[in-house]
Every structure is written in structure tokens, then in C-alpha cells.
């Protein structure tokens, strides 16, 4: 018989919402894709899309609630073909991922 204990080392509990940026779906995409994320706190979030040279090709600034959120990206929205980086920034947190656009 062994005593089993559960210890949280990150300082968060199972009920706390953390800041997370998820991989877009579908990826690669041609028509549209969804970028989803969790916010640890309700407030302003900025989603910025960059081409491979670092040029900003789209910026979305909006108010989002605490928890899970989604942003729909239209493939025909003057996005460059190929690899696109997307970055989410909110309340001092920042995360970046990449996706592939096949819409041209």
C-alpha cells in the first residue's frame, strides 16, 4: 500500500485558466482557418499575422472574455501564400506559432 499525493508545481490549480495559444485548425488551410486561445484574464488581446520577412500582414485588436476564444481567418483576406507567423499578446503574455496558407 502506497500513499499517493498530487502536487502542483506550476503554482496553478486545475480550475485556473492559463494563457495559451493553440495551433490553427485546419493547418495548412486554403479557404479559412480558426486560431484559438485561452486568456487568463478578460481584456484586450492583439493577434498579429506576419509574413516570413516579418512584415505585418494583418492585425486584430479586440476585447475577449476570460477563457477560451476563437478568431476566424479568411484565406482570401490578402494574406501571403506560404508560411505565416501569428502572435497573440495580452496582459503581458505573448506567444507565437506558424501556419501555412495555400489559398493562392
Amino acid at each position: 500500500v502506497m500513499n499517493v499525493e498530487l502536487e502542483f508545481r506550476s503554482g496553478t490549480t486545475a480550475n485556473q485558466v492559463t494563457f495559451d495559444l493553440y495551433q490553427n485548425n485546419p493547418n495548412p488551410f486554403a479557404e479559412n482557418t480558426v486560431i484559438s486561445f485561452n486568456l487568463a484574464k478578460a481584456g484586450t488581446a492583439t493577434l498579429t499575422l506576419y509574413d516570413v520577412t516579418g512584415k505585418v500582414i494583418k492585425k486584430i485588436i479586440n476585447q475577449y472574455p476570460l477563457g477560451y476564444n476563437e478568431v476566424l481567418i479568411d484565406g482570401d483576406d490578402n494574406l501571403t501564400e506560404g508560411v505565416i507567423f501569428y502572435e497573440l499578446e495580452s496582459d503581458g503574455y505573448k506567444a507565437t506559432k506558424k501556419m501555412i496558407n495555400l489559398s493562392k
Side-chain angles (χ1 to χ4, degrees):
V1 176
M2 297 176 62
N3 289 335
V4 178
E5 293 182 21
L6 184 59
E7 180 181 324
F8 292 97
R9 295 183 180 194
S10 67
T12 62
T13 64
N15 294 334
Q16 263 183 321
V17 177
T18 59
F19 177 89
D20 288 307
L21 176 62
Y22 301 112
Q23 187 63 51
N24 66 301
N25 188 28
N27 188 36
F29 71 99
E31 293 180 19
N32 54 48
T33 189
V34 175
I35 298 174
S36 55
F37 55 92
N38 272 334
L39 293 183
K41 181 177 165 184
T44 302
T46 303
L47 181 66
T48 308
L49 280 61
Y50 302 92
D51 66 13
V52 292
T53 67
K55 178 183 171 194
V56 174
I57 53 178
K58 185 175 182 97
K59 186 176 265 195
I60 301 166
I61 302 170
N62 209 342
Q63 293 289 320
Y64 295 97
L66 164 80
Y68 184 81
N69 295 277
E70 292 182 342
V71 175
L72 178 67
I73 303 296
D74 187 355
D76 293 330
D77 200 14
N78 292 324
L79 301 179
T80 57
E81 184 179 13
V83 175
I84 298 172
F85 294 91
Y86 58 99
E87 178 180 83
L88 179 69
E89 188 170 5
S90 179
D91 194 37
Y93 295 98
K94 186 185 286 190
T96 305
K97 293 207 178 276
K98 64 182 174 180
M99 59 185 169
I100 300 173
N101 180 9
L102 303 174
S103 65
K104 299 291 178 191

